[in-house]
Amino acid sequence: VENVRLLDRLSSRRAVVGTLYLTATHVIFVENGSETRKETWVLHSQISSIEKQATTATGCPLLIRCKNFQVIQLVIPQERDCHDVYISLIRLARPVKYEELYCFSFNPKLDKEEREQGWHLVDLNEEYNRMGVPNNYWQISDVNRDYRVCDSYPTEVYVPKSATAHIIVGSSKFRSRRRFPALSYYSKGNNASICRSSQPLSGFSARCLEDEQMLQAIRKANPGSDFIYVVDTRPKLNAMANRAAGKGYENEDNYSNIKFQFIGIENIHVMRNSLQKMLEVCELKSPSMSDFLWGLENSGWLKHIKAIMDAGIFIAKAVAEEGVSVLVHCSDGWDRTAQVCSVASLLLDPYYRTMKGFMVLIEKDWVSFGHKFNHRYGNLDGDPKEISPVIDQFIECVWQLMEQFPCAFEFNERFLIHIQHHIYSCQFGNFLCNSQKERRELKIRERTYSLWAHLWKNRADYLNPLYRSDRSQTQGTLHPQIAPCNFLYKFWSGMYNRFEKGLHPRQSVTDYLMAVKEETQQLEEELEVLQERLASLQKSQSSDNKVKSKQQDRSKQFGLYTSNNSLANTPQEYSNDLKSFPSRSPSQGDEDSALILTQDNLKSSDPDLSANSDQESGVEDLSCRSPSGGGCLPSEDSGKDSDEAVFLAG
Amino acid sequence: LLRSSQPLTGPNRRRCCEDEQLLGTILDEGERGFIIDTRSAQAAKQARMGGGGTEPKSCYPQWRRLHRALDRGRSLQESFIRLVEACGDSSLSMERWLGRLDSSRWLSHVKAALSTACLAAQCLDREGSNVLVHGAEGTDTTLLVTALAQLILEPSCRTLQGFQGLLEREWIQAGHPFQLRCARSASSHARGKQEAPLFLLFLDCVWQLSRQFPFSLEFGEQLLLTLFDNAYASAYGTFLCNNERERSLCKVKESTHSLWAWLNQPEEKHKYLNPLYSHNPLVIWPSVEPQSIQLWQGLFLRWIRPSQHLDEAWVEIQRLVKGK
């Protein structure tokens, strides 16, 4: 569709005109500029909702809201066309079969071996071994090898030594969805552990010997403590209400040596609504400070984030300081349980604060333990009541921790944002389906690629320059302040306003420091080389010249950072009353020049933008195609990682 | 960029041809200027009853008046006190923290101040027009706007030296009544009538700029904190008294030491420099969206939040940059 306008939320004057394309996998908007043909790509998987608004004199507005919080406001001249686009997008954004998803057609041009290697990058068996199991207290159990005990659990789980198959099976029958207590994290130093399960089917008075034995087994697996904590992450009222439905929580009288604790994290529906309200605040036009703060408070979002964090802190403390094992559950043990266990693990074990460790953590507590990615993030069209920003909240907890402990994580904010992005993008197969069983049935590993390999390949972009493994923050347990600390929770505009470039500092401190770090390292290495050379007496001229030319290349590379500093930014509208202040629209050149990323610019600052980068919204590789009304479609692998466009400019 | 106090139009709409002439000489034939009045249109009108007022359009035809109401005095002080109380209230649950933060209105004041300064800067930079800023007395919100506007527009004000010069010119010599405004701060019960944290508001706005443009200011948060401290209680004479006349009468220059002299010593200076600084010759336009304006934790939570990890990060940044 031609002559479509793309509006800017902050400045209605900055609308651009272009052509809108719909492909099998993307929506693409290409600006009509003479030089700059900026392209905005959106994967259908990312589309959360489409809203057709009332036709005005200027055309028919269409609002596309994405799961990665991008909001695209288009104005299509003809109502007929707008309707067609609307209907098409509705269908495209609601795939019915897995095969419709992008990951099955995405081709980063890797061979079979590389694809397989990518999937083996994260190995959970290695991880459990690293933790120190199996050992005298914990064993690996294959009782679920055909998924016959619990179809949402993995085939291999770790259980206490004294938990026989009989006990496991018996306990699974007494747990919602048969999700029996299994090991999530083992603390080598003091044998304390974090186990996870779902709620017991205790109703008002039901008991199960095997389930009670299971909890005893967990306690016995930690000789250093004579009791375990059982943490129910639900609000007490909800848990009690569940009893009427034959479920509920553990009665301290029935289970010997447990201390029971409610933590009070709200359910998925509350969280869905909370996010919705927060996004509404983000969409306000020219909000006042009050609009924003009240809106944010009203959404309750930060309160929920804090609740999850507090739960993780409680569990980490129990394990690290008291040396007591903890059994965590919620209702079904696949949402709040996953959040809380992974936050606790992150606090306890510095390994999970490394890039590799973080990937392992997500694989372990989210992927392998059957978090319902498909239902929660809408891979396929499904029940809207199942949708909830569960992993988004976990990812935000990590960001909040990064803000409080800037040296503690090996990775940076961009890493988190890209992971969140790809959980929804379905470009990689890691987060498809609802369980390991479903993924194996679909043969995900043979038919799609792993996100972890892609991120690992580009890991230079995701490093935190302040990370040093010998800092106090990076060793041992992190101790976030519990109270007073409300003010420590900030609104994450890098995530929820990700695509609003005007909001973010134009110069990335992280990128600058990484560049400085690299440059220093290279200069140090070079110094060594030169010193050696000096020591062994000068040789011919040519070797000196080689060194000189290398230096020049590097300064060109880092020249980008100093020149970045002098990129002008444009003022937003400071005057709400347009009538009283007639101002010229800022020259288009200023801001846009920052966004025109030529091949050279990209090369010098973003090391690996080759084949398997995603083609989301942002700047495309301008040299390699020219879409013309239905003509040649770009091949998947010639795109640049568009997220880089956002961060380079911002 | 010019500043003044309000014209004494009064209820009888007095005129003053010298004043009209003065403003007339600033503009060329046919040129247009802007007057930014930091009071609401209503407040400015009401000021006439007390002998003050605004420049009537008929007498100053080339000047276009814009009103941007900025809080000062009593209400600003109340805002400050409420914010400090909210920060110190450990019983506050997460559910009510943001509401308390908002009802203090402090961040709204920051937003308004930055917006107005940007407006002034836009008039100068984008419209190429002359701008006159005044409120009532010309000693409070006026200086806030003119000082911030210069930081936005002028790279030389963003160096350590330049910033000191800006403070000297736009706050100290311009006659901001420090002694009256910075007597008691937020916790004192003896609430002086003239007490108002305009200078702190200015420093907060500067901090917002430093956060949005981390490479563009030669100085860091530590300088701003030191200035805040010294405005209220100081071993140096720089912020004493209310204006140059009083300083002269009290022989401040002869009997005290200058804060600047101390700060600029090499062994002190390095503490205040921003290791990320790189000269930015362009205008820096801040975002005044609510998401972009944050609570200045380093000041308001200075004694409340644990700073150990953030200090470590700062040391690491300096180490990385010095290594280069």
Side-chain angles (χ1 to χ4, degrees), chain B residues 53-70:
Chain B
T54 58
E55 296 84 349
K57 218 170 275 192
S58 47
C59 311
Y60 301 83
Q62 286 173 278
W63 292 88
R64 174 81 179 276
R65 192 160 20 99
L66 303 171
H67 286 275
R68 290 292 177 272
L70 294 181

Side-chain angles (χ1 to χ4, degrees), chain A residues 525-535 544 547 551:
Chain A
E525 285 166 17
E526 203 165 292
L527 187 65
E528 260 184 61
V529 169
L530 288 174
Q531 280 172 338
E532 281 170 21
R533 202 160 278 160
L534 203 66
D544 287 348
V547 170
Q551 273 177 318

Side-chain angles (χ1 to χ4, degrees), chain A residues 620-649:
Chain A
E620 267 298 305
D621 176 0
L622 305 165
S623 58
C624 77
R625 82 176 72 85
S626 54
S628 50
C632 61
L633 286 176
S635 57
E636 263 84 302
D637 49 41
S638 53
K640 296 289 173 214
D641 189 342
S642 59
D643 297 303
E644 299 314 321
V646 177
F647 296 103
L648 190 66

Side-chain angles (χ1 to χ4, degrees), chain A residues 79 97 108 142 153 161 242 264 291 433 447 484 498 509 609:
Chain A
E79 211 275 332
K97 294 190 314 232
D142 69 346
Y153 264 9
K161 255 292 168 48
N242 266 283
D291 292 334
C433 310
R447 298 162 73 191
R498 180 178 165 196
V509 176
L609 295 167

Side-chain angles (χ1 to χ4, degrees), chain A residues 341-356:
Chain A
C341 286
S342 31
V343 169
S345 301
L346 203 59
L347 293 172
L348 284 167
D349 195 330
Y351 175 65
Y352 298 124
R353 291 174 233 138
T354 64
M355 212 178 284
K356 182 84 183 299

Side-chain angles (χ1 to χ4, degrees), chain A residues 209-222:
Chain A
L209 179 64
E210 290 84 6
D211 194 72
E212 290 167 30
Q213 288 172 330
M214 185 59 147
L215 266 63
Q216 266 183 45
I218 294 173
R219 180 179 53 80
K220 282 190 263 181
N222 178 8

